[in-house]
Amino acid sequence: MHMKKITLAVAVSLVLAGCEPAEQAEREDMLSTELAVAASQKDPFQAYQTVQAVKSKLCESGNCDGNRLWVKAGEDEVKYLTAAIKQGNPKVFSILYSPVYGNSASSIEQVKKQPESASKFLAYAERLPGATPDEGMLLSHAGVLVMIGKHAVRDTTRAANLFARAWAAGDSDAATLASRLYISNNDLRNAYLWSLRCTGKCERDSQADLNTLQEGLSPEAIKQAQQAAQDVSVIELTTGG
Amino acid sequence: MRSSYVFTLVAVLALFATESNAGPGSSSSGGSRASSSASTRGTASLGTGAGSRATTSTSVRRAGSTGSSAGNRSSARPAASRPYGQLGARSSVLTRRSLLSAGTPPSPRLTQIIRERESSGPGWVGTAVLIALLSQHDLSAADRNWIQGKIDALGAEGEGVETPALLPPAQRPMSVTGATQPMRAGQNAAIAVAAAGIPADAIACDIEGVATQPVVSIRDRVANFTWTPERAGAFILNCRAGKHTERRVLRVASNN
């Protein structure tokens, strides 16, 4: 009688988990095989992609955690991402810091919390020439890091330089980021200057509304900022005065 | 037990609502508003005005080529909103205490009007808006008295219409010419820098992150920098003259 209850409980658990026992075993076999493949790959980022791929495939129907093997898969992801960061692989930086993806997977979050991740990325981004919009986007991500000050020390000048380079490299949204930076720094003139530059594909933040910002500026200051915005080399107007 | 819980909940919500409306600090006066309030109010407003916009942002970005190849999940995922909503803080320059944060509130209708004005503008309404509100004919006598009281209070704080406290133009003691010219890798670019009251030979400029730095020559009280960029990109020019600094971004195209 007791045995029957246990059997029934196991069966119910498997049904609730959405898997037949055979299917469950098959999934675990596949995961185990792919984890072994990843472990044999020399490129840690490629290994991460292998684990990601099999997880994505197996997790389509959900029920992909709790098991010891799934825990190991998560640990492997962290291990491979950390190794890829040490190598300075740009692809891993995109995954970690790209606001486009907003990836909140636990392995990503764990790796982002490692202090060396942000510093490695910042060092990498600042060495980028900023010659293409893609590089501009990475510069923007780096600017966001030093603007927020969560994973790196907040530094307004550094963030402004990164956004200016990103914008010059063709990342139009960098203009609205720079505007936000100056708003957060209580610098109305430069917030207005950068908001003026948010044109075309750049979506102006509602906080950086031109009419709203103008309300705090004298007509002369408005004119000065509008002229400065035309000079694409200007990063900021001197805040004094 | 249940009533005390409800009371606590209401108290917390009321406190939150007051904080949201009030902004993180008190109003200050006239031209010193920006600087005097910066240290006390900048951070506390994080996540109020800005945070609410996080979910409404519709900025859509494509994945960069670097990013798009980065992982199965990433490449398959459509471009998503940039979650930058929570990054900015509403400036204390832009934020003063809500008129509704202290004293007896006006009628619900006027309360709503003021809230709408505060949320659509810089976060506060000033004397000019209050005077305009007074001209609305459908306001009750009590609301008119309330508005007049606020105008008087703002006037006493030095925020009357006679002192609008608008920021003047910024000082620009240094001039830089040639920084916007089209520059090409491998070709000389000339940038002239001058600073009011500073000898040209006291002006120094460098470019971040490059091995080849600009070479300076002085002529007619102007420091002329010649720079030969090695590669295409966007570079930061830092110039110093006495206590003044000027930063510019230089765009260099490839030589192809």
Side-chain angles (χ1 to χ4, degrees):
Chain A
M1 186 64 183
H2 189 62
M3 197 60 197
K4 275 186 180 175
K5 279 185 180 175
I6 292 173
T7 308
L8 183 63
V10 169
V12 168
S13 304
L14 288 170
V15 169
L16 286 175
C19 300
E20 295 295 327
E23 188 187 338
Q24 179 78 7
E26 192 181 329
R27 283 156 53 88
E28 289 187 10
D29 278 351
M30 188 185 289
L31 178 60
S32 181
T33 303
E34 290 303 305
L35 290 184
V37 168
S40 69
Q41 289 171 320
K42 287 182 181 174
D43 177 2
F45 186 74
Q46 196 182 358
Y48 167 75
Q49 285 182 305
T50 302
V51 179
Q52 266 285 293
V54 69
K55 277 183 73 178
S56 298
K57 188 174 180 182
L58 296 179
C59 291
E60 276 175 358
S61 57
N63 315 312
C64 48
D65 50 26
N67 181 300
R68 178 191 54 80
L69 209 53
W70 289 105
V71 173
K72 183 181 184 318
E75 289 168 352
D76 284 358
E77 280 183 317
V78 172
K79 183 174 72 181
Y80 296 140
L81 283 171
T82 305
I85 286 168
K86 279 186 182 164
Q87 287 185 347
N89 189 324
K91 294 171 186 171
V92 76
F93 293 136
S94 269
I95 284 191
L96 286 180
Y97 297 107
S98 167
V100 174
Y101 300 128
N103 198 333
S104 60
S106 65
S107 56
I108 298 278
E109 287 305 312
Q110 275 189 59
V111 175
K112 278 170 80 171
K113 282 178 187 166
Q114 297 170 359
E116 63 270 26
S117 298
S119 59
K120 278 267 186 187
F121 171 58
L122 282 172
Y124 165 78
E126 287 183 324
R127 280 197 307 271
L128 288 172
T132 64
D134 285 342
E135 288 182 347
M137 214 162 138
L138 284 170
L139 288 166
S140 281
H141 303 336
V144 169
L145 266 186
V146 287
M147 174 166 73
I148 297 174
K150 185 179 177 186
H151 297 296
V153 175
R154 179 177 286 188
D155 186 333
T156 304
T157 301
R158 196 178 182 190
N161 285 354
L162 285 162
F163 290 143
R165 292 183 64 210
W167 183 65
D171 182 13
S172 59
D173 278 348
T176 202
L177 292 171
S179 183
R180 285 227 197 157
L181 171 75
Y182 285 110
I183 286 174
S184 70
N185 212 37
N186 298 323
D187 186 341
L188 191 58
R189 294 186 190 100
N190 289 310
Y192 180 64
L193 166 72
W194 278 100
S195 190
L196 286 166
R197 287 171 168 169
C198 183
T199 56
K201 288 180 183 173
C202 173
E203 188 175 340
R204 189 176 289 126
D205 189 275
S206 54
Q207 273 192 38
D209 174 70
L210 290 177
N211 291 331
T212 302
L213 293 172
Q214 280 187 191
E215 286 181 22
L217 296 172
S218 67
E220 297 80 12
I222 291 169
K223 190 174 176 184
Q224 180 193 47
Q226 289 178 354
Q227 285 175 346
Q230 303 281 341
D231 181 338
V232 293
S233 74
V234 171
I235 297 176
E236 64 182 25
L237 297 161
T238 312
T239 51
Chain B
M1 183 67 184
R2 183 179 175 81
S3 61
S4 69
Y5 168 76
V6 171
F7 175 78
T8 307
L9 183 64
V10 169
V12 169
L13 287 174
L15 184 64
F16 177 77
T18 307
E19 288 293 316
S20 299
N21 285 333
S26 60
S27 62
S28 55
S29 62
S32 63
R33 184 188 309 147
S35 57
S36 65
S37 56
S39 60
T40 56
R41 286 187 273 165
T43 53
S45 60
L46 270 166
T48 52
S52 63
R53 287 167 181 88
T55 53
T56 58
S57 170
T58 54
S59 176
V60 174
R61 299 278 307 257
R62 67 181 169 77
S65 63
T66 325
S68 60
S69 60
N72 205 34
R73 175 183 296 181
S74 303
S75 58
R77 184 179 299 184
S81 299
R82 270 190 161 185
Y84 286 144
Q86 63 274 60
L87 305 184
R90 170 154 262 177
S91 164
S92 66
V93 176
L94 309 176
T95 313
R96 290 191 296 191
R97 184 167 53 188
S98 166
L99 285 176
L100 303 168
S101 64
T104 311
S107 69
R109 183 170 171 276
L110 183 56
T111 299
Q112 186 185 351
I113 290 171
I114 288 171
R115 283 207 173 118
E116 284 170 359
R117 294 280 187 144
E118 287 176 344
S119 62
S120 64
W124 46 269
V125 297
T127 315
V129 173
L130 288 173
I131 291 172
L133 283 175
L134 269 182
S135 67
Q136 290 194 8
H137 299 293
D138 52 349
L139 288 179
S140 68
D143 279 346
R144 288 178 184 281
N145 285 337
W146 186 89
I147 291 172
Q148 190 59 56
K150 292 294 178 185
I151 291 173
D152 294 343
L154 286 176
E157 290 176 15
E159 304 233 6
V161 286
E162 302 303 324
T163 54
L166 299 175
L167 279 175
Q171 292 176 353
R172 302 198 72 188
M174 295 180 74
S175 70
V176 179
T177 53
T180 55
Q181 66 178 302
M183 297 181 189
R184 288 201 169 275
Q187 295 181 6
N188 284 352
I191 301 163
V193 183
I198 307 281
D201 58 3
I203 297 172
C205 293
D206 62 67
I207 293 167
E208 288 182 5
V210 299
T212 307
Q213 290 295 323
V215 178
V216 65
S217 63
I218 309 297
R219 192 178 60 210
D220 299 332
R221 300 172 61 106
V222 174
N224 295 287
F225 292 89
T226 303
W227 181 49
T228 311
E230 292 175 347
R231 58 181 180 176
F235 303 92
I236 301 294
L237 171 75
N238 287 308
C239 291
R240 295 162 300 283
K243 63 179 182 179
H244 307 305
T245 59
E246 180 79 24
R247 304 193 330 275
R248 298 294 182 107
V249 61
L250 309 176
R251 299 164 187 241
V252 179
S254 68
N255 206 11
N256 300 329

